[in-house]
Amino acid sequence: MQIRPEEITNIIKAQIENYESKIELSEVGEVIQVGDGIARIYGLMNAMASELLEFPMENGPSVYGIALNLEKDNIGAVLLGDDKGIKEGMLVKRTGRIISVPVGEALIGRVVNPLGQPLDGKGPIKTSGWRPLEAKAPGVVDRQPVKEPLQTGIKAVDAMIPIGRGQRELIIGDRQTGKTAVALDTIINQKDSGVICIYVAIGQKQSTVAKVVETLEKHGAMKYTIVVMAGAADPAPMLYIAPYAGCAMAEEFQFAQKKAVLIVYDDLTKHAAAYRQMSLLLRRPPGREAYPGDVFYLHSRLLERASKLDAKNGGGSITALPIIETQAGDVSAYIPTNVISITDGQIYLESSLFSSGVRPAINVGISVSRVGGNAQIKAMKQVAGKLKLDFGQYRELAAFAQFGTELDKSSQNQLNLGRRMEEVLKQDQYVPMAVEDQVVIIYAGINNLLDDVAIADVKKFEKELLVYFETSCKEIKKEIVEKKTLSDELKKKLEDAIKTFKTIYKKQG
């Protein structure tokens, strides 16, 4: 059988076409040094900063890394996995994409790592899109002032250190002073507010994060919460990218869905320590406390992304609650001073107050909200306007009274009022309070209506007063919610109702 020349030509043409379609072009480099979660790579001349690099493994899935140091003759990359299988001379591929994270509704209610991979054993997550970890913060022109309250449900915070949507309020204090509890109470209080919550756990034990998730589940908060976890056993690069991953997820809801988001970074002290570890291993020059020179920028570019957009841009918001752990109450250390100067105020929790039973252990003197009354409803502003000042004076007077000095009548009155308000502002964990209930009890305290209630009975009185208002004075609470201001008529109704209850309370003994 004879094959015609044109048939041979067709066969050769087909093979050439198929051969060309199988060719895969990729830029590759070579590992020249590896150790401590850092790889130095030669040859990837066109790699971009923060680009994802692939280290193909012979047995098993590829390990990925992030290009951080772009030097003249090599690249310093941090590895997002174990470096055991990576050897000198191994090939490294460029992926051509900046490190990104999956975003969308599917993440709500899930516990994920900073790469968006599930950690809760509830199966894969089908997300709608991707967002780069690093993004430019909205400009001044695209924002509007912070003026819409974000209710935490914590009386001491909502009354004296109010937080607004789009604000960045630092929670700072020593270990075991209730910093995470303040953040969790705020998340639990967003139940019916339509706010999406993201809790970013950085460098915490898995058992601690499991307890947080269990608490949120118990209070029905996981229905609107995403937990991003980079555990204590994870490599430093995972801790480094965790808050940026959480922020990218938040921006999807803020920009694409025009929603309000609350994000908690717990905590940025461990984040800075992870970045310091990476920087020192990458041979970047150390500065104060051995942190690299750009450690301020590390947090400023993250926290500046929290904003309240104007109506033209959809009006979405990201409210950030970064947490910083201090050593022996030293707020003048490097990282605390950095983050204090970036944020719009701080809630300072004190060990001595916590130990003496004042919980939440907020030091009112050092705590501040730079948004102030703008982030409060008018009714709260009316009842709590003088509270912070009075409280500061009370703490000073209480310290003075310890010396056994005889005090004049006005000082004694101030001490009595301060002691009762201290009791009023105490609050159990995971029981956030609605703003109208806060207005009722603070109004009673600030207007000396608790003066004849023994200090030991203030909590009991408060509990029963709120039950009485819920059952017999619902219309007053409804009016506070609807009008958001206390008219003279409403103040009269409020005072009469409290006095009526006091009569009943005294009769009950």
Side-chain angles (χ1 to χ4, degrees):
M1 193 182 90
Q2 229 178 350
I3 298 174
R4 291 197 301 262
E6 60 268 25
E7 285 178 346
I8 295 169
T9 310
N10 288 339
I11 290 165
I12 292 167
K13 270 184 184 173
Q15 283 181 335
I16 288 168
E17 278 169 13
N18 289 338
Y19 177 74
E20 284 198 345
S21 66
K22 285 173 192 168
I23 289 175
E24 187 188 317
L25 292 172
S26 62
E27 194 178 332
V28 293
E30 190 179 312
V31 176
I32 52 174
Q33 189 186 8
V34 66
D36 297 316
I38 302 290
R40 292 209 167 267
I41 302 149
Y42 174 77
L44 295 178
M45 301 310 290
N46 296 316
M48 301 175 281
S50 296
E51 185 178 341
L52 205 59
L53 304 177
E54 187 184 351
F55 295 77
M57 309 298 279
E58 282 178 17
N59 331 310
S62 298
V63 172
Y64 287 89
I66 310 168
L68 277 192
N69 270 25
L70 304 181
E71 293 172 21
K72 200 173 180 181
D73 53 353
N74 68 68
I75 285 172
V78 291
L79 303 172
L80 295 170
D82 202 345
D83 63 1
K84 277 180 189 165
I86 296 169
K87 303 279 186 286
E88 284 179 28
M90 245 180 92
L91 290 183
V92 185
K93 283 187 195 173
R94 274 188 68 194
T95 61
R97 61 179 192 163
I98 301 296
I99 184 162
S100 304
V101 68
V103 294
E105 294 268 355
L107 289 161
I108 295 174
R110 302 298 299 268
V111 182
V112 296
N113 71 5
L115 299 172
Q117 297 159 341
L119 299 173
D120 51 11
K122 293 181 182 174
I125 302 170
K126 293 185 174 70
T127 48
S128 54
W130 292 75
R131 272 187 180 269
L133 258 66
E134 300 274 4
K136 197 177 172 194
V140 177
V141 179
D142 300 327
R143 300 178 185 228
Q144 59 172 298
V146 175
K147 56 179 185 288
E148 193 180 345
L150 183 119
Q151 302 293 348
T152 65
I154 302 166
K155 288 173 282 187
V157 176
D158 289 344
M160 296 185 287
I161 319 144
I163 298 171
R165 291 188 182 183
Q167 193 175 342
R168 300 150 300 180
E169 184 78 11
L170 171 64
I171 301 169
I172 185 168
D174 285 8
R175 63 185 296 276
Q176 298 292 312
T177 49
K179 299 185 298 297
T180 303
V182 169
L184 291 185
D185 276 350
T186 308
I187 291 173
I188 291 164
N189 197 49
Q190 305 313 309
K191 201 167 193 172
D192 302 312
S193 65
V195 176
I196 303 289
C197 300
I198 299 173
Y199 177 80
V200 185
I202 307 162
Q204 294 185 38
K205 290 182 293 186
Q206 291 191 7
S207 58
T208 308
V209 181
K211 273 185 200 162
V212 166
V213 174
E214 190 187 331
T215 302
L216 294 174
E217 288 274 13
K218 187 177 157 193
H219 293 90
M222 279 305 284
K223 289 175 188 163
Y224 51 85
T225 304
I226 303 167
V227 176
V228 180
M229 184 187 118
D234 287 334
M238 290 292 257
L239 273 64
Y240 162 64
I241 66 171
Y244 300 104
C247 196
M249 292 171 190
E251 282 174 340
E252 175 67 14
F253 296 109
Q254 181 193 22
F255 291 111
Q257 300 188 22
K258 301 168 177 54
K259 289 185 178 175
V261 187
L262 168 70
I263 185 161
V264 176
Y265 303 114
D266 193 5
D267 62 90
L268 292 187
T269 314
K270 293 189 184 81
H271 181 236
Y275 186 60
R276 172 170 64 184
Q277 179 187 324
M278 283 165 39
S279 297
L280 291 171
L281 289 167
L282 284 164
R283 304 237 175 267
R284 291 181 178 178
R288 181 175 158 191
E289 289 182 30
Y291 287 104
D294 63 340
V295 75
F296 182 92
Y297 180 58
L298 172 80
H299 291 149
S300 65
R301 73 176 189 263
L302 169 70
L303 294 168
E304 270 303 312
R305 288 160 75 178
S307 61
K308 169 79 172 147
L309 298 175
D310 59 15
K312 193 175 70 187
N313 289 287
S317 69
I318 295 177
T319 310
L321 296 181
I323 294 175
I324 287 284
E325 187 181 294
T326 54
Q327 305 290 327
D330 182 16
V331 291
S332 64
Y334 192 25
I335 301 304
T337 49
N338 275 359
V339 183
I340 284 170
S341 63
I342 296 164
T343 50
D344 308 314
Q346 67 275 348
I347 297 167
Y348 179 63
L349 300 161
E350 208 171 62
S351 309
S352 56
L353 287 173
F354 188 86
S355 307
S356 63
V358 178
R359 295 174 193 178
I362 296 170
N363 180 322
V364 178
I366 300 176
S367 302
V368 65
S369 169
R370 296 194 183 101
V371 174
N374 287 354
Q376 284 175 314
I377 63 166
K378 198 173 175 198
M380 180 60 92
K381 218 187 295 188
Q382 285 171 292
V383 295
K386 273 173 63 242
L387 185 58
K388 193 168 191 287
L389 187 66
D390 287 348
F391 221 77
Q393 288 172 340
Y394 156 69
R395 286 267 157 87
E396 276 182 34
L397 202 57
F400 183 64
Q402 283 179 326
F403 296 113
T405 320
E406 279 196 27
L407 299 169
D408 59 82
K409 191 83 175 89
S410 69
S411 298
Q412 283 173 354
N413 291 342
Q414 199 166 1
L415 267 180
N416 287 335
L417 175 66
R419 284 185 186 127
R420 279 164 179 77
M421 285 316 297
E422 191 169 63
E423 285 300 312
V424 164
L425 294 175
K426 284 182 186 176
Q427 198 167 340
D428 292 335
Q429 206 171 333
Y430 312 135
V431 279
M433 191 183 281
V435 69
E436 59 273 24
D437 288 339
Q438 293 183 33
V439 168
V440 168
I441 189 62
I442 291 170
Y443 183 87
I446 210 80
N447 288 294
N448 303 99
L449 296 169
L450 302 181
D451 283 7
D452 49 354
V453 178
I455 289 168
D457 295 338
V458 168
K459 293 307 292 173
K460 179 173 173 256
F461 179 88
E462 177 191 330
K463 202 173 179 183
E464 291 180 20
L465 174 68
L466 294 178
V467 170
Y468 173 76
F469 264 81
E470 185 57 38
T471 50
S472 309
C473 306
K474 266 192 173 171
E475 69 288 342
I476 295 178
K477 282 171 66 173
K478 194 180 171 192
E479 208 174 323
I480 294 170
V481 174
E482 285 171 0
K483 292 186 177 173
K484 293 185 170 59
T485 182
L486 295 181
S487 60
D488 291 340
E489 187 192 341
L490 186 52
K491 279 183 190 171
K492 179 86 171 64
K493 281 185 195 171
L494 196 53
E495 199 159 325
D496 290 347
I498 294 166
K499 282 175 178 170
T500 307
F501 169 72
K502 274 176 77 176
T503 314
I504 300 164
Y505 180 78
K506 279 174 185 168
K507 278 179 187 169
Q508 289 172 347

